[in-house]
Amino acid sequence: MTPPVPTAARPLPKARDVLAPPLCDAQGRVMTYLRLSVTDRCNFRCAYCSPAHWGGTKDLLTPDELERFTRVFARMGLRRVRLTGGEPLLRPDIVDIARRVSRVPGVAHVAMTTNASRLALLASPLRDAGVSQLNVSLDTLDESTFRRISPRGELSDVLRGIDAAATAGFASQKLNVVVMKGVNDAEAPAIIRYAHQRGYTPRFIELMPFGRGEGVPTRTLIESIRQAGIALEPDDAPKEDTSGPARYLRAPTGRVGFVSPMTENFCGGCNRLRVSAKGELRSCLGGRSQVPLAQLVRGGASDEELAWAIRRALGEKQEGHRFNDPQATGALLSMMGIGG
Ligand code: SAM
Ligand code: SF4
């Protein structure tokens, strides 16, 4: 596949600068955050995430390739890497991958998003390998609701993993909750209490149109949490530079985050790039364009050639996602391959 052409408004840099920061997109936004999907396989198949039929990619990126991509992106100015999937902990070499990525010069933070099913075993090794920020997905504390959302998972494994990670010494721990109307929306107050008791910051995410289910607008959810007796006040603490698109409010027991891709478009501050499990660069979660970085590497491309391809793709990055446009969402790339 030929990489897309840059816009006239944003010409490519001179050859000698192609690996030098900043890495900007067509809108002038500077990219600093890389999300690497290390697998598109998953042991949970959550209703909102996975397609009904899913084979999985055969040629996943190797640890060498993941390290090489990280090195090239870090030379171009990306400072933060998140390992995601599918379920990243299904990879037997995940600790080695985390260690190699965290040692790349220029990488300041390595984060991971996981369903926690194997975290009881891996929390401490991952921490020792350099993962400092952990996001765990937990949509419900109720066994039967869990079965409805993630039919192949075991809630007890997830809860054990969450407890193990709580004592492993991560610098930041968050609980991601995808909110679905009539499924888990009423559990928000209980999940806030559960998370704060264990030192996690809960973050409620509006459902995006990748799978099944009906979402709840953040505004409605905040109102229902307040009606349940939990005061949510504006949060005066300075926003961490790693907090991404989440907006935070303060409950009596701690902070509560809200991520609102459907009702509060945050694309103006987008600083992120994604590499899918197949090794394709995706400049937007809600977009369709992709550049086959793995194919380029396997064909012998140099770091400079990769950097050109990356800059060309960024030259096409749109102003924002189009989740609210039914014609665009029909062709969205799968969430399991992109990694959220
Ligand atoms: N398997 C890992 C996990 O579940 O945390 C990592 C991959 S998962 C694709 C990354 C994040 O995307 C999770 O927090 C998940 O809840 C979120 N996610 C998946 N599908 C979503 C959807 N349709 N809308 C909003 N968030 C979604
Ligand atoms: Fe798997 Fe995570 Fe998607 Fe659930 S959200 S199906 S655990 S990749």
Side-chain angles (χ1 to χ4, degrees):
M1 191 187 105
T2 315
V5 198
T7 59
R10 208 146 281 279
L12 291 171
K14 296 195 180 88
R16 67 172 185 278
D17 296 332
V18 70
L19 275 157
L23 177 56
C24 293
D25 71 4
Q27 321 296 326
R29 295 171 293 203
V30 179
M31 301 294 121
T32 56
Y33 175 21
L34 174 65
R35 295 180 68 105
L36 279 177
S37 174
V38 297
T39 179
D40 53 6
R41 291 170 195 271
C42 186
N43 50 346
F44 274 21
R45 303 280 184 103
C46 304
Y48 50 71
C49 177
S50 44
H53 303 288
W54 187 255
T57 298
K58 286 202 182 70
D59 297 324
L60 291 175
L61 297 172
T62 64
D64 279 348
E65 289 169 338
L66 289 160
E67 185 180 338
R68 168 108 185 264
F69 288 151
T70 307
R71 217 170 266 285
V72 169
F73 280 110
R75 282 180 73 183
M76 300 176 87
L78 277 84
R79 295 288 165 258
R80 187 163 168 241
V81 180
R82 177 170 299 276
L83 302 173
T84 177
E87 176 44 41
L89 299 188
L90 292 186
R91 273 194 77 144
D93 50 5
I94 189 63
V95 175
D96 181 41
I97 291 169
R99 186 176 303 109
R100 291 170 71 157
V101 165
S102 67
R103 286 183 182 164
V104 168
V107 171
H109 304 285
V110 177
M112 178 177 282
T113 306
T114 171
N115 65 23
S117 55
R118 302 194 64 218
L119 204 51
L121 202 66
L122 289 170
S124 291
L126 287 169
R127 178 69 201 92
D128 294 345
V131 175
S132 60
Q133 299 166 353
L134 192 71
N135 285 8
V136 173
S137 298
L138 177 75
D139 300 320
T140 177
L141 293 164
D142 178 82
E143 188 74 53
S144 65
T145 309
F146 185 86
R147 293 230 161 278
R148 207 170 143 195
I149 301 173
S150 313
R152 299 194 183 188
E154 281 296 337
L155 179 60
S156 56
D157 291 344
V158 174
L159 300 181
R160 248 198 320 279
I162 288 171
D163 284 340
T167 57
F170 291 97
S172 150
Q173 304 166 162
K174 299 192 175 107
L175 277 191
N176 283 349
V177 188
V178 177
V179 185
M180 285 157 283
K181 190 171 176 182
V183 179
N184 64 344
D185 49 346
E187 279 192 72
I191 293 177
I192 291 172
R193 283 189 287 273
Y194 170 89
H196 287 159
Q197 279 162 5
R198 288 161 179 78
Y200 285 80
T201 302
R203 299 193 322 160
F204 296 94
I205 305 173
E206 282 178 349
L207 181 75
M208 292 181 273
F210 287 92
R212 285 168 282 141
E214 186 182 346
V216 178
T218 289
R219 256 191 333 276
T220 310
L221 183 71
I222 290 175
E223 196 46 46
S224 73
I225 294 170
R226 286 184 171 136
Q227 277 172 10
I230 297 186
L232 290 176
E233 305 294 343
D235 183 37
D236 297 332
K239 200 169 152 75
E240 301 159 37
D241 66 347
T242 56
S243 57
R247 182 161 66 87
Y248 287 90
L249 294 176
R250 184 156 287 282
T253 47
R255 298 168 84 215
V256 182
F258 297 90
V259 185
S260 317
M262 305 304 293
T263 61
E264 292 169 23
N265 195 312
F266 43 60
C267 298
C270 183
N271 63 351
R272 53 189 61 193
L273 288 176
R274 295 173 165 84
V275 175
S276 75
K278 286 187 176 156
E280 292 150 342
L281 172 68
R282 311 213 169 149
S283 56
C284 177
L285 176 61
R288 280 171 284 181
S289 66
Q290 40 191 319
V291 178
L293 290 184
Q295 201 176 308
L296 294 177
V297 162
R298 289 167 192 170
S302 65
D303 285 358
E304 284 75 12
E305 285 166 329
L306 285 178
W308 282 116
I310 292 164
R311 289 199 190 269
R312 285 199 187 94
L314 267 285
E316 280 225 327
K317 185 162 155 121
Q318 301 295 312
E319 209 174 328
H321 70 65
R322 292 168 63 204
F323 289 141
N324 293 315
D325 173 355
Q327 286 195 320
T329 53
L332 277 177
L333 300 161
S334 152
M335 186 67 130
M336 274 177 74
I338 316 172

